[in-house]
Each structure stands twice: as C-alpha cells, then as structure tokens.
Amino acid sequence: MKKVVLSLGGSILFPTLEENRVSAYAGVLSRISRQMRLFVVVGGGGEARRYISAAREIGLDDALSDEIGILVTRMNATLLAGALGDAAVPAVAENQTDAYAAAGTGKIVVMGGITPAQTTDAVAAVLAERVGADLMVNLTSVDGIYTADPKTDPAARRLDLLSADRLLEIVGSASLSAGSNTVIDIVAAKVTKRSGIPLLVIDGRNPEHLEEALLAGRYSGSLVTDTGQKPARLL
Ligand code: UTP
C-alpha cells in the first residue's frame, strides 16, 4: 500500500473549537485508509493562537509559548483520533519513533507537535521521511504556494508546480516565532528538499478535495517535487 503523510492544519480542522471539521475529516480519512496507509499530523488552529497570545501577554518567552502550542495540537489530535475510532491508533504519538512504531498496527497514526521552534508541517515532513512516504499533503487555508503572500500582495501568483529549491527560496524569509503562520515552515521545506518526497499543498476546507486528490489524482493546488518536473502520476 502507498503511504501518505498529511499535515492537517489546525486552521482547517479547528478554525475554532466550536466550528471544527473533525467529523467530516474522520469520515473521509477512514474511507481513504482502506486504500492507503495514512499518517495525520494535526495543527493547533485558533485555540493554539489564543493560548499563545495569552502567553505573550503575560510575558512568557517563545520557547514556552511553543510548548503551549504543542499541548493544544495534541488535544486536537486526540479529538481526531477519538473520532476515527477503530480506524486509528488510539494514543497520539508524542515523538517520531512512537509514530513509526504505531505504523506497524496498520491503522491511521495521528500525532500533533513534538518540539519547539517549528510547526506541525515540519513534524509531518520528518515523519514522511521516517516512514518512507510516497507523498506528503499539506492541507491548509490557501489553495497552494504563491510567489508572495496572496493576502497582502495582489501581484502574487500561484505556482502549480515547483522544485524544492524554489520552495526554499519562497519560505526562506518567514519568521519562526510561536504561532507564526506561513503556508509551510522553513524546517518542513528543508526536510522536503532533503527527502525528495513530493509535497502537495491544497486547500483543506473541503475534506472531499483530499479524497479526490488521493483516490482520483485530481486536485487544484501546488505540487513540489525534487526537480520541479511533473511526475507521471500523483501516487
Ligand atoms: P501549528 O503552527 O503547526 O498549527 O502549531 P497551525 O498553525 O494550526 O497549523 P496551520 O497553520 O493551520 O497549518 C501551532 C503552534 O504550536 C507550536 C508553534 O508555536 C506553532 O505555531 N509548535 C507546534 C511547536 O513549537 N512545535 C511543533 O512541533 C508543533
């Protein structure tokens, strides 16, 4: 079976705790997992940002704010693992080795953050390398990688296909502070370059788009490959 690692942005799964997409994603992930091995790394979302801004207001440093963000990602991951029921390993992995070991069960492996000064995109990129994934997918709230931030630069255009080196150029100047929000963090970009594993970035607001991408190879987004060449097929 093909192996796919998903970085499921907190902004997608938990824009807020009340308006979450956990049930919708649980259904889609269970269906996909009948045809491929899935690893899901869950982000912090709106709640992580609220905690991090409370931490800043009381004067906590970025390293401790990151630790708080990690705790929120693990709570989010626990909700998703619970919703997946029997289809997933019930315990959320707290490091890469535990996630790798959990893969032996054949069930969906779910995890959150693990270490400060990165985001769950980096966790997912390292996990992809560790398990020898065929593809990593970043499910986020923009529909791909742009030449600049499309929210602030009207001249920004989406890149449908790019090399890992081009990705590094684009994300190289982004900040690493707790709660920072770029399409993919620099650590994840560097690991993507190192591993050579293709990275697909798509808008995750509609979970069915993930199903269509993985099962039918149809998507609208950005594909990062080692050389910037389009592969014959996605999986
Ligand atoms: P993420 O940045 O990964 O979640 O983690 P997100 O912002 O919800 O994901 P996207 O943007 O939608 O894709 C939230 C915060 O938790 C800390 C960081 O402060 C991060 O900004 N964190 C997370 C870590 O320090 N280390 C980790 O391994 C994961």
Side-chain angles (χ1 to χ4, degrees):
M1 267 193 184
K2 298 276 185 187
K3 292 181 201 153
V4 178
V5 173
L6 308 177
S7 179
L8 186 43
S11 55
I12 295 303
L13 201 57
F14 290 96
T16 66
L17 201 45
E18 293 75 22
E19 293 163 44
N20 67 74
R21 293 187 175 91
V22 174
S23 298
Y25 261 102
V28 163
L29 295 172
S30 298
R31 281 201 295 278
I32 298 172
S33 71
R34 292 184 204 124
Q35 298 188 46
M36 57 193 70
R37 304 292 315 284
L38 286 182
F39 301 79
V40 188
V41 184
V42 177
E47 295 308 308
R49 297 227 144 62
R50 291 179 64 205
Y51 268 95
I52 288 168
S53 72
R56 285 226 173 84
E57 264 169 41
I58 56 175
L60 304 187
D61 56 60
D62 260 0
L64 184 50
S65 304
D66 279 341
E67 295 284 5
I68 291 165
I70 291 168
L71 292 172
V72 179
T73 65
R74 287 181 180 161
M75 287 197 287
N76 290 346
T78 305
L79 278 175
L80 179 66
L84 285 164
D86 250 8
V89 179
V92 164
E94 295 196 356
N95 58 59
Q96 298 284 356
T97 302
D98 287 355
Y100 180 80
T105 61
K107 296 189 176 202
I108 302 173
V109 175
V110 183
M111 68 190 297
I114 53 176
T115 188
Q118 59 174 33
T119 73
T120 44
D121 293 337
V123 177
V126 174
L127 184 60
E129 190 174 47
R130 188 79 198 272
V131 302
D134 299 282
L135 178 71
M136 171 176 157
V137 183
N138 188 19
L139 294 144
T140 182
S141 52
V142 287
D143 64 351
I145 297 165
Y146 282 72
T147 49
D149 184 349
K151 285 170 190 148
T152 53
D153 185 347
R157 59 183 181 87
R158 190 177 81 187
L159 299 166
D160 294 345
L161 186 63
L162 64 159
S163 67
D165 282 323
R166 180 83 174 99
L167 173 70
L168 271 172
E169 264 171 41
I170 292 170
V171 300
S173 56
S175 125
L176 248 191
S177 61
S180 76
N181 203 1
T182 49
V183 66
I184 190 149
D185 83 49
I186 181 73
V187 181
K190 284 188 173 170
V191 176
T192 297
K193 162 82 186 149
R194 172 173 96 170
S195 71
I197 295 169
L199 164 69
L200 177 66
V201 178
I202 54 174
D203 185 338
R205 282 175 288 194
N206 182 346
E208 279 162 23
H209 289 171
L210 174 67
E211 200 165 7
E212 227 175 271
L214 295 184
L215 302 185
R218 277 194 304 272
Y219 61 87
S220 166
S222 298
L223 182 65
V224 181
T225 64
D226 205 14
T227 55
Q229 303 291 312
K230 196 174 171 67
R233 43 194 297 167
L234 191 59
L235 275 173

